[in-house]
Amino acid sequence: MTSPYGLLAELTYACPLHCPYCSNPLTLSDYGDELTTAQWQRVLGEARELGVLQLHVSGGEPLQRRDVVEIVRRACELGMYTNLITSALGLSPRRAEQLKAAGLDHVQISIQAHEPTQSDRIAGTRSFDRKVAAARLVKELGWPLTLNIILHRQNIDRIADIIALTEQLAPDRVELANTQYYGWAWRNRDALLPSRPQIERAEAVVRAERARLAGRMEISYVLPDYYSQYPKPCMEGWAKRQLTVTPNGDALPCPAAHQLPLPRANVREKSLAWIWTDSPLFQRFRGTDWMPEPCRSCARREIDFGGCRCQAFQLTGDAARTDPVCILSPDHEIVAEVVRAANEGARPREEVLTPRPHPSRVR
């Protein structure tokens, strides 16, 4: 069994944004009893002993936690590489200087669109100008900067404008990631899934811009699962190299696994080492022995590991099924039908979205 190298610490699900593609759970109120500062610091110590080298501090919005600087400082003291994944709302010059002094290594900022009106509409709050200012602040302080843009039906046609904006902000890396349909994105899937022509036009733009900007900034483009022949390897394989800890202390093999009907594993009750090595949750889909056909006899079984367990559960009701995204899956018609619906000619480009609400908090 390999040791994990990455920990995603979801400090809180509180967030000033209302993004309709958010992957946070639909039952946000279940996570109001957040881990304390001391509990997070203990978890970080256990993670480092387990072999974790990278800490990704996320949420919700991690800057909503007043102790985020203390948590980052502890991770740096343990020798972890630290990455702040943020909307940038709350990244004031003072807070940024504190995080810099604490040892934070990298900042990733989300951008919703290329201009204020559309960006603020998607985010559900006025935020575009503050995001741009924060990105410039990050560069001024000498941090490596990644800009993350979630693509969907309502912004993908402006991908050239989005890249032009990112070029002005001079990030080291740009992630153009098509929406993954979990959490609130699952609820809004019909309004978010692009059409095939939209995907093809976006791919052409990305190819041209990668060539033009080669050596200046890295552009990563993630195709929507629903338009792929084969699924992506979920988290490099279930409980293989990474894990997530949610605000209430639940430990998960991937951020979306909270929805699966499997036994819980919580850091308030068990050590991270026991959870990683022995818990039924982390053991359930580890390796390939659990696989049904056609995965069991497929040459790709150790490439994509049967695809995403959460996606299989959402689409079929059975987390042990072959991911229906796969063209070899007996359930592939489920995905094919969704794609056909997304390509109906009369369908409007901008549809009504259900915004992610603000969760109630205890801390």
Side-chain angles (χ1 to χ4, degrees):
M1 182 190 305
T2 58
S3 297
Y5 67 75
L7 169 63
L8 176 65
E10 296 182 325
L11 301 188
T12 179
Y13 286 149
C15 184
L17 304 187
H18 302 271
C19 301
Y21 53 74
C22 181
S23 61
N24 285 169
L26 295 177
T27 55
L28 291 168
S29 60
D30 292 347
Y31 298 87
D33 185 15
E34 298 173 359
L35 296 179
T36 65
T37 308
Q39 287 170 326
W40 272 116
Q41 290 174 332
R42 173 180 60 78
V43 168
L44 295 180
E46 292 180 1
R48 188 65 192 92
E49 289 178 7
L50 196 54
V52 169
L53 298 173
Q54 298 177 1
L55 176 70
H56 304 279
V57 181
S58 182
E61 174 47 66
L63 294 173
Q64 295 272 305
R65 290 274 302 220
R66 289 191 291 268
D67 57 357
V68 64
V69 174
E70 296 173 65
I71 291 169
V72 167
R73 181 181 293 112
R74 180 56 182 153
C76 294
E77 290 170 352
L78 291 166
M80 294 182 185
Y81 183 90
T82 52
N83 174 32
L84 177 69
I85 302 172
T86 177
S87 69
L89 274 64
L91 190 63
S92 63
R94 180 173 179 272
R95 178 66 68 87
E97 292 283 2
Q98 291 172 335
L99 287 165
K100 186 74 174 178
L104 181 69
D105 293 297
H106 182 275
V107 179
Q108 175 178 312
I109 295 176
S110 64
I111 301 286
Q112 278 65 42
H114 71 289
E115 53 84 26
T117 301
Q118 187 183 31
S119 179
D120 294 349
R121 181 181 66 82
I122 294 170
T125 189
R126 293 181 63 180
S127 55
F128 179 84
D129 291 339
R130 284 184 285 173
K131 286 171 176 286
V132 169
R136 290 178 172 142
L137 174 62
V138 167
K139 295 296 292 185
E140 288 170 9
L141 290 175
W143 271 310
L145 171 64
T146 293
L147 295 178
N148 174 264
I149 300 91
I150 302 299
L151 300 174
H152 45 79
R153 188 177 188 87
Q154 303 195 27
N155 69 358
I156 195 169
D157 290 327
R158 305 306 296 267
I159 195 167
D161 295 322
I162 290 169
I163 294 173
L165 169 67
T166 64
E167 186 180 1
Q168 294 175 25
L169 299 176
D172 300 273
R173 186 168 186 267
V174 176
E175 294 179 351
L176 301 168
N178 275 277
T179 303
Q180 301 295 309
Y181 295 101
Y182 310 107
W184 295 91
W186 171 256
R187 176 168 287 186
N188 287 297
R189 184 186 65 183
D190 291 346
L192 292 172
L193 184 64
S195 67
R196 191 175 299 278
Q198 286 182 297
I199 295 293
E200 291 171 352
R201 290 193 297 268
E203 287 184 294
V205 170
V206 171
R207 284 195 299 271
E209 292 296 81
R210 274 178 174 159
R212 184 177 69 85
L213 295 168
R216 292 172 54 190
M217 68 184 191
E218 177 187 353
I219 300 178
S220 170
Y221 178 76
V222 181
L223 187 72
D225 281 3
Y226 286 31
Y227 284 96
S228 301
Q229 282 193 314
Y230 302 106
K232 301 177 183 70
C234 180
M235 306 298 292
E236 301 182 55
W238 180 273
K240 186 176 182 182
R241 299 307 305 273
Q242 302 187 58
L243 74 161
T244 296
V245 176
T246 68
N248 71 342
D250 283 344
L252 302 170
C254 80
H258 55 80
Q259 66 189 303
L260 301 184
L262 295 172
R264 299 293 88 186
N266 194 287
V267 298
R268 284 180 161 125
E269 300 162 1
K270 297 288 186 177
S271 71
L272 210 57
W274 181 88
I275 291 170
W276 178 260
T277 304
D278 299 313
S279 69
L281 173 61
F282 277 64
Q283 292 280 13
R284 177 62 181 90
F285 298 113
R286 186 175 264 151
T288 59
D289 289 345
W290 62 271
M291 289 183 174
E293 293 292 352
C295 296
R296 182 176 291 273
S297 56
C298 182
R300 296 181 56 85
R301 66 184 177 277
E302 294 192 18
I303 297 174
D304 56 36
F305 303 100
C308 176
R309 299 301 87 222
C310 302
Q311 192 156 255
F313 177 73
Q314 284 185 324
L315 292 170
T316 73
D318 182 356
R321 298 282 288 181
T322 300
D323 188 338
V325 161
C326 182
I327 59 171
L328 303 175
S329 167
D331 303 305
H332 181 67
E333 181 57 25
I334 297 172
V335 172
E337 176 57 33
V338 174
V339 169
R340 280 194 292 271
N343 285 273
E344 291 177 355
R347 188 171 161 190
R349 287 287 169 81
E350 292 192 0
E351 301 180 52
V352 176
L353 296 166
T354 301
R356 174 200 187 276
H358 289 309
S360 59
R361 296 185 64 202
V362 172
R363 298 187 75 253

